Amino acid sequence: MNRDLQHIFSKAKKNDRLAQKSLFEMFSGKMLSVANSYINNRDDAEDMLMNAFCKAFTKLEDCKNYESFPFWLRKIVVNDAISFIRTNKHILYAETEFTDSIAEQTEDVDVISHDIDLDVIFREMPIGYKLVFNLSVFEEKKHQEIAEILNISEGTSKSQLSKAKKWLQDYFNQQNTKQNAESEI
């Protein structure tokens, strides 16, 4: 795969349409999952993904080597998803001060051992929580960076992450309760 990617990447950099199609086929599934984790509507996520790939192919010279391509492409997808949300959605963040008691309550989210469908979870999670959670957990951004990206205060970023963790904890507890009730039947 690595050797194939190197070959395809070098051809795609020379505007070889078949090579670009191959890159799309290799990475579109993973990148659609990333887009879906930010955008609740699959059609919007697919449109945004197509735009991200177009942007990537027009700026492919900016990507230094084939090894960094997946990470470079992911960054484009995440940035485009955030831009899409900013321009197409009205996101409300609860402006509350982050307190240590909230942090202590949600420090560890216990995950129950059963199949986890992230698409379902992210479809149900409130969008403000989801954005901060994704940027913090999957993109490994600090609260100061998240605040700048989303144009919110650092305290709001901390609060939204805390609330997202609490929401996940409640979600998994509900799933566990449902599972236990079904197994008793």
Side-chain angles (χ1 to χ4, degrees):
M1 162 100 179
N2 220 9
R3 193 163 175 79
D4 288 342
L5 178 58
Q6 182 178 10
H7 177 71
I8 293 168
F9 179 78
S10 64
K11 288 178 80 175
K13 271 187 130 172
K14 296 174 185 168
N15 287 325
D16 182 308
R17 296 294 180 216
L18 289 176
Q20 290 175 346
K21 180 182 180 205
S22 293
L23 284 177
F24 177 82
E25 289 169 351
M26 286 175 148
F27 294 100
S28 61
K30 291 177 187 172
M31 294 304 129
L32 182 58
S33 292
V34 171
N36 274 330
S37 73
Y38 286 88
I39 300 171
N40 281 340
N41 182 305
R42 187 169 179 94
D43 292 333
D44 289 340
E46 288 173 353
D47 288 347
M48 194 274 329
L49 181 68
M50 293 304 293
N51 290 334
F53 267 100
C54 287
K55 184 184 291 182
F57 292 145
T58 60
K59 296 182 177 192
L60 205 49
E61 284 300 315
D62 293 349
C63 184
K64 302 299 181 214
N65 58 51
Y66 75 96
E67 293 158 326
S68 63
F69 177 74
F71 308 104
W72 180 78
L73 179 61
R74 180 184 174 92
K75 187 173 184 177
I76 291 172
V77 170
V78 168
N79 288 340
D80 283 4
I82 292 168
S83 294
F84 176 86
I85 290 167
R86 281 185 184 155
T87 57
N88 296 300
K89 307 277 186 205
H90 182 69
I91 302 167
L92 295 176
Y93 295 96
E95 290 284 345
T96 58
E97 286 302 312
F98 183 77
T99 63
D100 290 334
S101 63
I102 292 173
E104 289 166 8
Q105 292 170 8
T106 59
E107 208 158 280
D108 294 312
V109 176
D110 293 327
V111 178
I112 290 80
S113 60
H114 56 79
D115 291 334
I116 297 173
D117 187 343
L118 289 178
D119 287 338
V120 171
I121 293 170
F122 286 132
R123 213 175 7 253
E124 293 180 23
M125 182 183 275
I127 194 154
Y129 298 177
K130 176 171 50 176
L131 285 174
V132 173
F133 183 82
N134 283 346
L135 289 169
S136 176
V137 174
F138 298 120
E139 306 305 322
E140 299 178 348
K141 302 281 186 195
K142 304 285 182 219
H143 287 292
Q144 181 179 356
E145 293 174 284
I146 295 169
E148 289 171 12
I149 290 169
L150 299 177
N151 198 26
I152 58 176
S153 73
E154 210 171 316
T156 299
S157 175
K158 291 176 182 178
S159 172
Q160 292 296 299
L161 180 60
S162 176
K163 289 177 181 183
K165 289 178 180 179
K166 176 76 170 101
W167 186 91
L168 283 170
Q169 190 173 32
D170 292 345
Y171 177 87
F172 288 125
N173 286 340
Q174 273 184 331
Q175 296 304 311
N176 194 33
T177 302
K178 276 186 199 176
Q179 212 173 31
N180 289 341
E182 289 172 0
S183 65
E184 290 176 5
I185 295 176

